[in-house]
Amino acid sequence: MDLSEKQSVESIEIAEGVVGEPMKVLKQAVFTLVLLFFLVSFCWAGKGIKVKVLRVIDGDTVVIRVLQKVPGIKEVERLRYAGIDTLELHTSSHIPHPFAEEAGQLNAKLTLGKVLSLKVSPRPRDRYGRLLGELYLPDGRSVSAEIVKQGLALV
C-alpha cells in the first residue's frame, strides 16, 4: 500500500470515528426519550381522572360524572370506550343484536355506581361528540379488556 492509500484509509477511519460518536449519542438520546415517554404514559394511565359511572347505555358506552375539573371535559359526559365495539343493544327494530344484552350487563356489573379511573383517548371525541377513553377498575384492569376477554366485544 503506498502513502496515498494509507492516508485515504486513515482519513476514512478518522471520519467514521467523528461521525460514529455523534450517532451513538443521538441513539442514546432517542432511546432515553422513548423510555421516558412510556414511563410517563404508564404513570399517567395509573392515576387517570376519577369518574363515577352514573348509567350504562350499552356494552361500550356509559354516562359518567367527572369528579375533578378537567379542561375540555364537562361534569357529566357520555363516554364511548375507545378501541372496542360491542353489538348494538338499541336498534331500529327494537330487537338487540346477539350478545348485546350480555355485553351491557357485564359493563353494568363492572362499572355502574363505581368510582373508576379514566384515561382519555388521544382523539378525545368521536363524530357524535362523545368522549372517547378507557376506564380502569381499582385493581388496574381495563373495563374494555374484560369485555373483550368474555368475547362480547370486537377490537
Side-chain angles (χ1 to χ4, degrees):
M1 192 179 321
D2 68 1
L3 183 59
S4 65
E5 286 177 340
K6 280 185 179 179
Q7 288 175 337
S8 293
V9 169
E10 287 174 357
S11 297
I12 291 171
E13 288 172 351
I14 291 171
E16 285 176 349
V18 169
V19 171
E21 192 60 33
M23 287 302 290
K24 185 177 180 182
V25 170
L26 180 62
K27 285 180 184 178
Q28 289 174 340
V30 168
F31 175 78
T32 302
L33 287 173
V34 169
L35 181 62
L36 183 62
F37 170 78
F38 282 112
L39 286 173
V40 168
S41 297
F42 177 76
C43 292
W44 186 79
K47 293 180 182 175
I49 301 164
K50 294 296 176 201
V51 300
K52 183 173 184 175
V53 177
L54 303 176
R55 191 169 110 221
V56 172
I57 305 297
D58 58 22
D60 57 21
T61 307
V62 294
V63 176
I64 58 170
R65 177 179 306 281
V66 180
L67 302 178
Q68 59 196 72
K69 291 207 180 279
V70 179
I73 300 178
K74 297 178 278 188
E75 183 182 352
V76 175
E77 289 270 6
R78 189 175 282 228
L79 172 71
R80 170 79 161 63
Y81 300 151
I84 71 165
D85 189 30
T86 61
L87 294 173
E88 298 306 315
L89 183 59
H90 308 287
T91 65
S92 58
S93 67
H94 302 289
I95 299 171
H97 290 156
F99 303 106
E101 290 176 334
E102 291 86 344
Q105 290 167 357
L106 178 58
N107 194 11
K109 179 181 171 188
L110 292 170
T111 66
L112 190 58
K114 297 180 181 170
V115 174
L116 304 174
S117 292
L118 165 67
K119 181 180 179 190
V120 178
S121 174
R123 183 179 68 133
R125 303 233 175 236
D126 67 6
R127 64 181 177 203
Y128 304 108
R130 296 177 296 190
L131 189 63
L132 294 173
E134 178 64 52
L135 287 179
Y136 291 90
L137 300 167
D139 65 6
R141 290 179 297 147
S142 157
V143 171
S144 295
E146 294 302 311
I147 295 170
V148 170
K149 275 188 209 175
Q150 295 299 317
L152 299 173
L154 303 171
V155 182

